[in-house]
Amino acid sequence: MEVNRLDFYIGLSLAMSSSVFIGASFILKKKGLLRLASKGSMRAGQGGYAYLKEWLWWAGLISMGAGEAANFAAYAFAPATLVTPLGALSVLVSAVLSSYFLNERLNVHGKIGCLLCVLGSTVMVIHAPQEEEVASLTAMAEKLKDPGFIVFAVCVVGSSLVLIFAVAPRFGQKNVLVYILICSVIGSLSVSCVKGLGIGIKELFAGTAVLKEPLFWCLLVCLIICVSIQINYLNKALDIFNTSMVTPIYYVFFTTSVMACSAILFKEWLSMAIDGVVGTISGFLTIVLGIFLLHAFKDITFSRDSLPLYLRKAYQGFLWGHQPYMTLPNPNSETEDEMKLPREGGSNGVWGKHRRAP
């Protein structure tokens, strides 16, 4: 149990450090590209390669590589149900750093989204399964032979082929879900391959001759094929549709697919209590909501002047101390006063409405 708990914390640390490295890599690359643009060099979007001479861009590339390596290693120690959703922290790190180093304003919706991402990640860490479900390639081979996973893999491959050859040529340019669904369902298999390869490398360092195992090389080939398909269709989605729309949708579908595959392949949910399952799902949905707020409303300007009048007065009172209470004008008060005044030509001060004769 102590060994499993230690592996859990190692995997958690690797997953969180991966998010930090990947989130910072976007900022470093962006800073390098902005420096080149200020010098008048041909930009990357115009076909230029001057960024290869910029050390900030290389620092971002190295940071990205370190983050991906840490994420790869995290799957060897912690459950995929924990590692994959924590990838949302890279979006959080990127958003926070961009507001400080790139002068990109983070509005109220973005700050609430960041807070929800942290809250959801904390809930998932607390309720995630802490026991390692697979410890060797032999155990991984037994899991892959499970009828439930075979049916799941056949459905994934079949649906991917239908989407690639039948749906994508007709609707891929119009509907953002087509390319994202291809990346997501294929991504569930790629994460399983990464999990198996991570366990194999972990055994290799322990002195086991895993390079002689055919399963190790099969997982490596499957991983290369799956990642190639993911990169191809994700680039197509990013090229056609807005990034602020692609990123949250891809995260939701990809993470959901990975969690479903992990539940079928490793059956880690069976060892969890009801409160653990509810907590994990609640944490994931909280992260989804935070990602949505962070991306969907990032271009909306939201300030104190856009608040209702009574909230603005409360906001000023909160900042400048106690202020005397003032009643707000009632739009119906003028109408009531007009009804109470006597009409011209009325006798004996009769009110606006004439009395009905008895």
Side-chain angles (χ1 to χ4, degrees), residues 222-354:
C222 291
L223 177 62
I224 293 174
I225 296 174
C226 292
V227 170
S228 300
I229 296 174
Q230 281 182 266
I231 293 175
N232 180 33
Y233 285 97
L234 184 59
N235 286 335
K236 288 184 178 182
L238 291 173
D239 184 53
I240 298 172
F241 303 100
N242 194 351
T243 305
S244 61
M245 180 171 57
V246 172
T247 303
I249 296 176
Y250 176 65
Y251 172 80
V252 172
F253 280 93
F254 174 72
T255 307
T256 304
S257 301
V258 171
M259 293 178 69
C261 180
S262 178
I264 295 173
L265 179 59
F266 303 117
K267 296 180 175 59
E268 55 194 18
W269 297 84
L270 297 179
S271 60
M272 297 174 61
I274 299 298
D275 58 342
V277 175
V278 174
T280 302
I281 297 176
S282 301
F284 171 63
L285 294 178
T286 305
I287 295 175
V288 169
L289 181 60
I291 292 291
F292 175 77
L293 289 176
L294 191 59
H295 283 83
F297 302 102
K298 69 176 184 179
D299 295 328
I300 296 178
T301 56
F302 186 85
S303 62
R304 182 174 61 86
D305 296 333
S306 61
L307 292 173
L309 180 61
Y310 66 94
L311 288 180
R312 271 185 279 171
K313 290 183 176 295
Y315 182 79
Q316 291 176 351
F318 176 75
L319 288 181
W320 306 109
H322 179 71
Q323 293 187 359
Y325 175 78
M326 298 176 60
T327 58
L328 297 178
N330 188 359
N332 298 324
S333 60
E334 297 180 358
T335 306
E336 293 177 357
D337 293 339
E338 291 178 356
M339 293 177 63
K340 291 180 181 179
L341 291 176
R343 291 184 177 181
E344 294 182 359
S347 60
N348 299 326
V350 180
W351 298 106
K353 289 187 177 180
H354 296 285

Side-chain angles (χ1 to χ4, degrees), residues 82-101:
L82 173 68
V83 176
T84 304
L86 286 182
L89 293 180
S90 63
V91 182
L92 168 64
V93 172
S94 178
V96 173
L97 292 180
S98 64
S99 64
Y100 283 98
F101 296 102

Side-chain angles (χ1 to χ4, degrees), residues 3-326:
V3 175
N4 289 334
R5 188 172 294 273
L6 178 62
D7 287 348
F8 174 82
Y9 289 125
I10 292 174
L12 175 62
S13 303
L14 288 171
M16 296 183 67
S17 62
S18 170
S19 299
V20 173
F21 280 118
I22 293 175
S25 69
F26 292 108
I27 308 302
L28 292 172
K29 287 183 179 180
K30 185 69 175 180
K31 288 285 288 184
L33 294 174
L34 290 176
R35 285 183 59 177
L36 289 174
S38 64
K39 295 177 182 178
S41 302
M42 182 178 291
R43 307 184 66 170
Q46 300 173 349
Y49 295 97
Y51 57 86
L52 296 176
K53 300 179 181 179
E54 179 60 48
W55 69 270
L56 273 176
W57 186 88
W58 281 105
L61 183 64
I62 293 173
S63 178
M64 175 73 74
E68 293 296 341
N71 188 62
F72 183 89
Y75 283 104
F77 294 94
T81 306
L82 173 68
V83 176
T84 304
L86 286 182
L89 293 180
S90 63
V91 182
L92 168 64
V93 172
S94 178
V96 173
L97 292 180
S98 64
S99 64
Y100 283 98
F101 296 102
L102 299 178
N103 296 324
E104 295 181 2
R105 186 176 179 182
L106 193 63
N107 56 16
V108 176
H109 300 87
K111 293 177 181 178
I112 295 175
C114 293
L115 182 62
L116 289 176
C117 287
V118 174
L119 179 62
S121 300
T122 304
V123 172
M124 286 206 70
V125 170
I126 293 174
H127 294 281
Q130 299 187 8
E131 297 181 0
E132 185 59 44
E133 63 276 0
V134 176
S136 63
L137 278 181
T138 304
M140 185 73 179
E142 294 298 325
K143 294 286 186 180
L144 293 174
K145 296 177 183 177
D146 185 76
F149 176 74
I150 293 175
V151 173
F152 175 80
V154 170
C155 292
V156 166
V157 174
S159 60
S160 300
L161 292 175
V162 172
L163 288 171
I164 291 172
F165 294 106
V167 181
R170 297 180 58 188
F171 305 103
Q173 304 285 331
K174 304 174 183 177
N175 196 329
V176 66
L177 293 179
V178 177
Y179 292 147
I180 291 179
L181 281 175
I182 296 173
C183 297
S184 301
V185 295
I186 293 294
S188 62
L189 297 181
S190 67
V191 168
S192 301
C193 295
V194 168
K195 181 74 174 177
L197 289 173
I199 294 171
I201 294 174
K202 185 179 176 182
E203 282 190 296
L204 181 63
F205 285 117
T208 306
V210 296
L211 297 180
K212 298 180 180 180
E213 296 286 340
L215 179 60
F216 182 85
W217 299 106
C218 290
L219 291 175
L220 181 60
V221 172
C222 291
L223 177 62
I224 293 174
I225 296 174
C226 292
V227 170
S228 300
I229 296 174
Q230 281 182 266
I231 293 175
N232 180 33
Y233 285 97
L234 184 59
N235 286 335
K236 288 184 178 182
L238 291 173
D239 184 53
I240 298 172
F241 303 100
N242 194 351
T243 305
S244 61
M245 180 171 57
V246 172
T247 303
I249 296 176
Y250 176 65
Y251 172 80
V252 172
F253 280 93
F254 174 72
T255 307
T256 304
S257 301
V258 171
M259 293 178 69
C261 180
S262 178
I264 295 173
L265 179 59
F266 303 117
K267 296 180 175 59
E268 55 194 18
W269 297 84
L270 297 179
S271 60
M272 297 174 61
I274 299 298
D275 58 342
V277 175
V278 174
T280 302
I281 297 176
S282 301
F284 171 63
L285 294 178
T286 305
I287 295 175
V288 169
L289 181 60
I291 292 291
F292 175 77
L293 289 176
L294 191 59
H295 283 83
F297 302 102
K298 69 176 184 179
D299 295 328
I300 296 178
T301 56
F302 186 85
S303 62
R304 182 174 61 86
D305 296 333
S306 61
L307 292 173
L309 180 61
Y310 66 94
L311 288 180
R312 271 185 279 171
K313 290 183 176 295
Y315 182 79
Q316 291 176 351
F318 176 75
L319 288 181
W320 306 109
H322 179 71
Q323 293 187 359
Y325 175 78
M326 298 176 60

